[in-house]
Every structure is written in C-alpha cells, then in structure tokens.
Amino acid sequence: MTCGLALDDLPWGTVDLAPAAISMVLSGLCELLREADERGESVSCHDTVNETPRFGNSSLATLLTTLPERDLRVELLRRIGKLTSFGDGDLVAFEVVTPDGVVHLAPSVAWAHQEGHRGRNCGCLTPSSSQRLGAIAIAAATNGESKTIDVFFIGDGASHVGFFRWTAVREGADERRFAELVPFAYPDLHFLEGALRGLRALSRPFVDCRDLVMQSLAVLNDHGAGIFTLGQQLKIVDGFRAHGVVISPENAETLRDAKCKKERERQLGAILLVLQWHIKLRKDRDRIHVHPPVMASRGRVVVGIIHEHLRLPGD
C-alpha cells in the first residue's frame, strides 16, 4: 500500500465535552485503529502524540489517565504504542492552517500534508468529535511557501474505505495501481485469484471506464450482500438498480451451453462456483461476473471475472 495513515492531532473537540462523551469518542477512535490494524494499514504519528492537546488543554495522556473504562484504556495504550512515530527531523512544517483560517500546531497533519504534496496520499484518522470527514483543504509551508492541498480525514467506516476510493480517483489510478488499492477500498468483497487481471480485458482502457468500475464495486461492497438476501431475481435486479447498477442473471440457454457455462465457472477452495450474475458496465459489453456470498467467502460477495464479454450460445 503506497498511501499512508496518520493520527489527527488537530483539536478533537470542545473543552466542555462530558466525560461520558469523551469515553465514547475514544472508543470510536480505538475501533478505527483496530480496523486499520486488522487490514494491515500502517498508521503514523509525531512523537509528541501523547502530549498534544486534544480537548482544550487536555492531552491524550491526561485523557487516558482519567478514562474510567480500564479495558478501553489498556487497548488504546497498546494500539497507540504500536503506531509508527516520526520526529521533528522528518518534517518541513509543524503548523497547518484549516479552512477557517486558524493556525494550529499539528505535526501529524503537517506530515500528511507533506506526504500528499510529494504524491503519496495520506489520510488522517480522527475521532467523531472533531467533525472532520472527507477531503479538507489544509495549508502548510512547503519549501518556504504556503501550499494548500486536500487532506482526507477518516472518522468512520464509510470514510475509511472512502479514503482509498478517493485516492484512486485523485491519482488517476491505472489498473495496476487500482488493484493495489482494491483490498482497502472494497474490503467486504472477495476477489477470486486472477479476477483483477480482467481490468485489462475490457473494451476500453481501464482509465476510461474506471469510474463505472468503481461505482459498481462500491455498490457491491456497501450493499451487495444485503441485496442478494432478497432472494427473488426481480427483487435483486431492482435492489441494485436503486443504487444505479444494472445487473442480470445468466439466462437458462447460456447455462445449458457447456462451453458457456465452463467460462463462468471458478474455483473457490473446494467449491466450484458458477458465476450466474453479471453487472453491465455498458449495455452491450464490459461485464463484472459475481456470485452471492457463500461460507467460503466469509459472507462476502464474490467477484470472479471482469471481461469485455464472455461467450454466448452460438459464438
């Protein structure tokens, strides 16, 4: 993964936030760190992470000391201790300017800005209390000049995957780069081995149909498993259509044709799947062949084939 994550060190909230609310905020932050760790995402922070004020003058060290939930305190200490720290020597700026014109001492956000300016997108994990989500214009000094670029703030599950989808668009990702981002941008999909090589088998260069592919995969990831539980084909088709995706089941004639059926078969562990559903990126070509969730895919929709068009009876 050639993009990074940092722990937001802009203010997290107001000084008068109630202790119970602070506990809820820190619990949400712990969940973000846990999720990043489980996905193999590296999170960085400045080596003053524990001393930086978070709520008013209260530092993270102070908040953790007063946190009544012992298990949460222990887990947060452990997860923050695992972060990759950097020092002053790694920075060209320590202060950033937010869209409201306020200057903040925030070395971790300055680092994310610096990385983005160098072409390596970096998102900032932030608690819900900060009310920062998505791409926000941040200014910081670069080579003696103030430069403003978008820094992406991640405060929940949707913005977590959203960062990697945003990165694909911002970088103008080709099929190779997009394949690198897929596990992070669409973590609730199971891609069969070789499926992403099909990005080269579409009727147009991938960069020309990237938006359509991303839209379809986003709907599959975010809603697909639930839609497939509707059971009836018409309800499934309507469910995807409600999210702007055209999907169809293979017709009986296609599945009766041995050669056609063989092209749509893929192995998943000990199971032979017939990919009986396909998303239509264009009316007459460019397909993503999928299968509803199975136990072997751990309840995730299976993406098996991406291709301009598979064989039809009579071809």
Side-chain angles (χ1 to χ4, degrees), residues 21-305:
I22 290 177
S23 292
M24 186 175 298
V25 164
L26 293 180
S27 179
L29 178 64
C30 190
E31 178 59 30
L32 285 174
L33 291 170
R34 184 186 303 124
E35 191 172 67
D37 187 37
E38 290 172 351
R39 295 181 185 175
E41 300 164 1
S42 176
V43 183
S44 300
C45 64
H46 189 256
D47 55 18
T48 58
V49 60
N50 288 315
E51 288 74 47
T52 305
R54 305 294 176 171
F55 295 98
N57 292 320
S58 297
S59 67
L60 186 57
T62 301
L63 293 171
L64 289 173
T65 301
T66 58
L67 193 64
E69 295 88 352
R70 180 184 179 279
D71 290 348
L72 176 58
R73 182 169 67 251
V74 170
E75 183 175 1
L76 261 175
L77 283 168
R78 180 173 62 83
R79 293 197 177 279
I80 290 170
K82 291 174 63 177
L83 302 185
T84 302
S85 68
F86 54 88
D88 292 354
D90 299 301
L91 294 170
V92 296
F94 299 87
E95 294 180 333
V96 300
V97 183
T98 47
D100 56 5
V102 177
V103 179
H104 298 272
L105 178 64
S108 291
V109 177
W111 178 81
H113 178 284
Q114 174 180 300
E115 292 294 292
H117 184 72
R118 292 172 174 173
R120 179 178 182 260
N121 288 310
C122 182
C124 289
L125 297 181
T126 189
S128 57
S129 57
S130 77
Q131 298 186 343
R132 287 184 286 275
L133 276 182
I136 297 176
I138 299 291
T142 302
N143 297 326
E145 295 182 40
S146 179
K147 300 286 186 180
T148 300
I149 66 168
D150 284 341
V151 175
F152 199 98
F153 288 83
I154 300 164
D156 55 22
S159 56
H160 198 155
V161 297
F163 165 64
F164 295 99
R165 299 173 188 178
W166 173 81
T167 294
V169 174
R170 180 172 177 169
E171 292 183 358
D174 60 13
E175 58 269 26
R176 180 199 60 79
R177 175 60 172 148
F178 184 67
E180 292 176 350
L181 294 169
V182 156
F184 307 100
Y186 311 102
D188 292 325
L189 297 179
H190 184 99
F191 288 83
L192 295 182
E193 184 177 356
L196 290 171
R197 288 198 291 270
L199 296 172
R200 299 186 181 93
L202 297 171
S203 65
R204 297 173 292 167
F206 172 70
V207 293
D208 293 336
C209 50
R210 182 180 56 235
D211 290 349
L212 284 173
V213 171
M214 290 184 64
Q215 178 200 6
S216 299
L217 293 181
V219 172
L220 278 174
N221 183 90
D222 302 346
H223 308 286
I227 293 173
F228 276 119
T229 64
L230 298 175
Q232 297 180 10
Q233 287 188 354
L234 183 57
K235 289 183 177 181
I236 291 171
V237 170
D238 289 343
F240 279 101
R241 184 183 294 119
H243 294 283
V245 170
V246 178
I247 193 170
S248 296
E250 298 291 355
N251 62 45
E253 183 183 4
T254 298
L255 296 177
R256 282 196 299 265
D257 185 294
K259 292 182 178 179
C260 293
K261 183 180 179 183
K262 183 70 174 177
E263 276 200 351
R264 290 157 176 79
E265 291 178 346
R266 290 294 185 273
Q267 200 75 30
L268 175 57
I271 303 174
L272 182 64
L273 298 178
V274 180
L275 305 171
Q276 297 188 26
W277 289 90
H278 59 270
I279 288 174
K280 299 180 177 181
L281 300 179
R282 300 172 70 187
K283 184 176 181 180
D284 61 342
R285 67 194 66 189
D286 297 334
R287 305 293 190 246
I288 301 176
H289 293 258
V290 303
H291 193 284
V294 293
M295 287 185 62
S297 68
R298 294 186 295 166
R300 295 176 294 175
V301 174
V302 177
V303 179
I305 304 169

